[in-house]
Amino acid sequence: MLEKLYEAGLKHLQSAHSQTFQEEWQGHDYAYRVVEPEFGDCKRTLLVLGGALRPLKPWPRLESNLPAGTRVVFLELPGLWDSRAIPSPFTWNLLVGAAVRTLDVLGAATCDVLALSASAPLGYRLVRDHGDRVSRLVMVGALSCVTEEVREVLERMSACLTHDRRLESDRDTRKAFTSAYSDFFLLSRKSTNRAAVTLSATIMRKLFTEVPVEKFRKCAQFYRDLFLANSEQIIPQGDTGGTPMLLIYGELDGVAPPEHAPIIARNSPNCQVAVMKGVGHNLQVESAKDFLDLLTRFLTDVPLNELPYCSLSSTLRQ
């Protein structure tokens, strides 16, 4: 039932205002999807750096509930979905360059950036290296370093994708893989909203079931090159200057708990940290309404004080 409601939400998106474009950067094909404002001129651009597996998938609530005049751009990371050979190795510079290239093609002098989970370090690097192009940065579920638990899971997943050929043909093997790793990325310390967590799990498992194995292998290399090989440099040195920055964490997140926030925020003189109550790593699904309210407030410079669904701290320097 929950899955049917989610799919129904996708159908309500106004596809006439959404278009996908193909681009190339340093020999690698990639794509980006643009959702133009339904009414009026484009006043701002929101660049969404989502997950590695399905970056262009519709996001109904986000696309239909942002401030008027917002153009939304979903970026597919180069090397993950094209048919060419996997880049060796993946580098953050490759991904930063593709993001800037996309803004140039769109004629967007500046943008707001929403960077989720594995793409959070990319958002940070965009601000550090191209601060004049980013008006605001929102990072959701960002790791400051690779914890032992995350390392163990990523290494096990990578080994499974590399050596277990049954994934391509054996239904039970694929089902076990899907359950194990989709559940990890939903990991929370405890559940407070069973319906929301069930919906989040349904979406995640459907995603893991549909993605071809060869795409998972590219994702495994992505994580090996960018996270496991440089586990202490996920968030690089160098601050974000005066760019307004918001870190959002789920209070119950077992993948990227809020304890990572102070390490990231210490080099960001204009940073706020919001910890959303009762949700885990997939907070944008578990508590979609509150997440969108928080995001919209930040993007429109509305104070975040005394919100009932989150606690707030700040590194703002006068």
Side-chain angles (χ1 to χ4, degrees):
M1 179 63 180
L2 287 170
E3 183 177 344
K4 290 181 179 179
L5 289 173
Y6 176 74
E7 295 296 338
L10 299 186
K11 294 179 182 178
H12 279 83
L13 289 178
Q14 297 181 347
S15 59
H17 299 282
S18 174
Q19 189 172 357
T20 299
F21 300 90
Q22 300 295 321
E23 192 56 67
E24 182 179 359
W25 177 250
Q26 294 187 357
H28 299 289
D29 297 328
Y30 72 98
Y32 59 93
R33 186 168 66 87
V34 180
V35 183
E36 296 289 353
E38 182 179 356
F39 302 107
D41 297 331
C42 174
K43 298 177 181 178
R44 61 175 63 84
T45 296
L46 175 64
L47 177 64
V48 180
L49 307 174
L53 292 177
R54 291 289 292 277
L56 305 184
K57 188 177 180 66
W59 191 342
R61 286 195 173 184
L62 177 73
E63 294 178 30
S64 59
N65 289 282
L66 285 172
T70 301
R71 171 175 59 182
V72 190
V73 181
F74 296 88
L75 179 66
E76 177 186 275
L77 301 180
L80 283 172
W81 282 87
D82 63 43
S83 59
R84 306 186 192 195
I86 302 174
S88 183
F90 278 98
T91 67
W92 290 115
N93 286 340
L94 170 70
L95 306 184
V96 168
V100 173
R101 164 69 176 168
T102 303
L103 295 177
D104 290 342
V105 171
L106 290 171
T110 61
C111 70
D112 297 324
V113 175
L114 171 60
L116 296 102
S117 192
S119 292
L122 174 56
Y124 193 98
R125 283 169 169 80
L126 273 172
V127 173
R128 184 196 65 170
D129 300 339
H130 301 275
D132 59 325
R133 306 298 298 271
V134 181
S135 301
R136 303 171 189 80
L137 171 64
V138 181
M139 298 168 67
V140 181
L143 286 166
S144 62
C145 64
V146 176
T147 64
E148 285 302 316
E149 183 177 23
V150 171
R151 172 179 287 279
E152 179 183 341
V153 170
L154 292 180
E155 288 179 341
R156 191 164 63 243
M157 181 174 69
S158 179
C160 180
L161 287 165
T162 301
H163 302 296
D164 195 342
R165 296 298 167 180
R166 294 176 300 169
L167 281 170
E168 299 175 1
S169 57
D170 185 76
R171 184 183 181 89
D172 290 338
T173 301
R174 180 63 184 263
K175 184 176 180 180
F177 174 88
T178 294
S179 296
Y181 297 109
S182 63
D183 286 354
F184 169 75
F185 286 108
L186 291 169
L187 181 64
S188 296
R189 293 168 181 166
K190 56 186 176 180
S191 172
T192 59
N193 187 333
R194 296 177 65 89
V197 172
T198 299
L199 174 60
S200 185
T202 298
I203 295 170
M204 184 68 73
R205 288 171 185 168
K206 181 177 176 62
L207 165 64
F208 270 60
T209 300
E210 292 177 346
V211 172
V213 172
E214 61 267 23
K215 303 302 181 185
F216 269 117
R217 292 197 174 106
K218 289 189 176 185
C219 288
Q221 181 170 330
F222 172 89
Y223 282 111
R224 283 199 304 270
D225 293 345
L226 297 180
F227 286 81
L228 296 181
N230 300 284
S231 60
E232 296 180 358
Q233 289 295 319
I234 298 178
I235 300 297
Q237 295 182 351
D239 66 40
T240 55
T243 302
M245 181 171 166
L246 175 64
L247 305 179
I248 305 177
Y249 287 88
E251 177 187 27
L252 308 176
D253 190 346
V255 179
E259 288 79 6
H260 287 267
I263 300 173
I264 299 173
R266 66 187 178 190
N267 291 323
S268 303
N270 190 359
C271 180
Q272 298 180 82
V273 178
V275 179
M276 296 186 61
K277 300 175 182 178
V279 294
H281 190 64
N282 210 20
L283 57 87
Q284 67 273 13
V285 175
E286 290 182 37
S287 188
K289 181 179 178 181
D290 292 339
F291 170 75
L292 286 170
D293 179 66
L294 180 61
L295 176 65
T296 300
R297 285 172 178 269
F298 181 73
L299 296 181
T300 55
D301 299 320
V302 175
L304 307 182
N305 301 325
E306 300 181 358
L307 297 176
Y309 53 78
C310 73
S311 59
L312 189 71
S313 61
S314 176
T315 61
L316 181 63
R317 298 173 194 167
Q318 301 296 329

